[in-house]
Amino acid sequence: MDLAAPWGNNQQHYHSDAADYFPLNDGLQPQAQGIKTEGAQSASGATGNVMGRIVYQITPSLRLGAQIGYSRAGSWSEVTGMLLAHYTLDGF
């Protein structure tokens, strides 16, 4: 049986300037220019990821396993999962 649990962490800071908002309606665009803005934000925080994997040898040529991971950066986070099947073709 193989076990793995790598991880990592870091610190981040990002900033984005405001930008004019342009509606999808062409008639409203002249009214919106210079009045409405979106997107001005700044944030700092921890980032990181962790992953775990377990693999079990069923036969000399077949291993089965599973992997799960979690990543985070700013307001974004992601969970991943995977089932693993490793088969060795001895004749090649």
Side-chain angles (χ1 to χ4, degrees), residues 10-11 14 19-21 23 31 34 40 42-43 46 49 52 54 64 75 77 81 84 86 89 92:
N10 211 333
Q11 177 71 19
Y14 66 91
D20 289 338
Y21 172 71
Q31 297 171 9
S42 179
N49 64 322
I54 185 167
L64 298 177
S75 61
S77 63
L84 308 166
H86 301 262
L89 301 173
F92 292 99

Side-chain angles (χ1 to χ4, degrees), residues 33-72:
Q33 289 179 351
I35 298 171
K36 304 256 184 193
T37 60
E38 275 190 7
Q41 58 181 328
S42 179
S44 296
T47 66
N49 64 322
V50 64
M51 188 269 294
R53 181 191 314 191
I54 185 167
V55 178
Y56 187 75
Q57 186 99 25
I58 304 294
T59 67
S61 60
L62 177 64
R63 291 184 295 150
L64 298 177
Q67 177 176 308
I68 188 164
Y70 175 75
S71 299
R72 174 183 158 81

